[in-house]
Amino acid sequence: MAIGGSIPGFLFVSSTLSPIAYNSEAVQILAFPNDPDKIKRLNVFLADKVRSSLVDRQSRESLDFVKEFKSGTRRYLCRAFLLDGYNNGSGPAIAITLERHSSGSSALLQMSKQFDFTERERQTVELLLQGLTSKEIAVRMNISPNTVKAFLRLVMVKMGVSTRSGIVGKIVGPQI
């Protein structure tokens, strides 16, 4: 499901980061502010853009991707999935999604101010609202799952709820 109602960008690349398939949204996101129709060698452009903008240069791993990509003033959540079941001879392929950060997170922002969340508590809740587990949140935030659980407990105390779904309900509920 798209965040904020926009269609996510999708790229399917080889282990050498050469594009195998992609949708027009991914091209628009990666080409901004340029007109994608004016790019002469689109496959070469996309491979270069993936290498220069989506591969995390800070990572100690051999191939890791950034968690967030900025295109103009818009921010996109970047997720990469290793596809072991697909092998074109040069190694497994990688599926990459680019989902726009919700501008509709005003309810979270309002709740963050109302309950005086720290920045890390707000980040934890934002990822919780995306449906991530504690372990997935921990990976995204580069912290332990126990730290995630501690942040969620603090948020629960501040909000006066006793469950993770209570947090979600209090933030999403008023909008329905």
Side-chain angles (χ1 to χ4, degrees), residues 75-119:
R75 293 179 338 177
Y76 294 87
L77 180 64
C78 179
R79 295 183 190 173
F81 305 90
L82 187 63
L83 304 174
D84 295 322
Y86 180 91
N87 191 325
N88 62 355
S90 65
I94 303 161
I96 303 168
T97 60
L98 296 168
E99 297 176 273
R100 187 167 176 195
H101 270 282
S102 174
S103 57
S105 61
S106 60
L108 175 57
L109 187 60
Q110 180 184 0
M111 290 289 183
S112 294
K113 290 178 183 175
Q114 179 183 345
F115 294 107
D116 198 28
F117 293 166
T118 65
E119 178 61 24

Side-chain angles (χ1 to χ4, degrees), residues 9-13 19 21-23 26-27 30 46 50 54 94-98:
F10 180 82
L11 295 132
F12 186 50
V13 298
Y22 45 84
N23 65 2
V27 174
L30 294 171
L46 289 173
V50 167
L54 299 183
I94 303 161
I96 303 168
T97 60
L98 296 168

Side-chain angles (χ1 to χ4, degrees), residues 85-176:
Y86 180 91
N87 191 325
N88 62 355
S90 65
I94 303 161
I96 303 168
T97 60
L98 296 168
E99 297 176 273
R100 187 167 176 195
H101 270 282
S102 174
S103 57
S105 61
S106 60
L108 175 57
L109 187 60
Q110 180 184 0
M111 290 289 183
S112 294
K113 290 178 183 175
Q114 179 183 345
F115 294 107
D116 198 28
F117 293 166
T118 65
E119 178 61 24
R120 296 298 267 174
E121 289 168 347
R122 188 202 55 73
Q123 284 178 311
T124 305
V125 172
E126 184 176 338
L127 294 170
L128 177 69
L129 291 173
Q130 293 175 17
L132 274 61
T133 65
S134 291
K135 192 172 184 180
E136 292 168 328
I137 293 170
V139 169
R140 292 273 175 87
M141 294 178 68
N142 200 23
I143 58 178
S144 80
N146 287 334
T147 304
V148 170
K149 291 173 188 172
F151 284 144
L152 291 173
R153 279 192 298 274
L154 289 167
V155 168
M156 287 180 216
V157 168
K158 288 179 179 183
M159 295 181 80
V161 297
S162 58
T163 62
R164 294 164 60 107
S165 58
I167 295 170
V168 174
K170 211 157 190 177
I171 293 172
V172 176
Q175 296 177 333
I176 298 173

Side-chain angles (χ1 to χ4, degrees), residues 27-46:
V27 174
Q28 289 176 334
I29 292 166
L30 294 171
F32 185 83
N34 300 318
D35 181 355
D37 295 330
K38 294 184 180 174
I39 298 171
K40 300 222 185 299
R41 296 173 42 200
L42 189 56
N43 277 0
V44 172
F45 169 82
L46 289 173

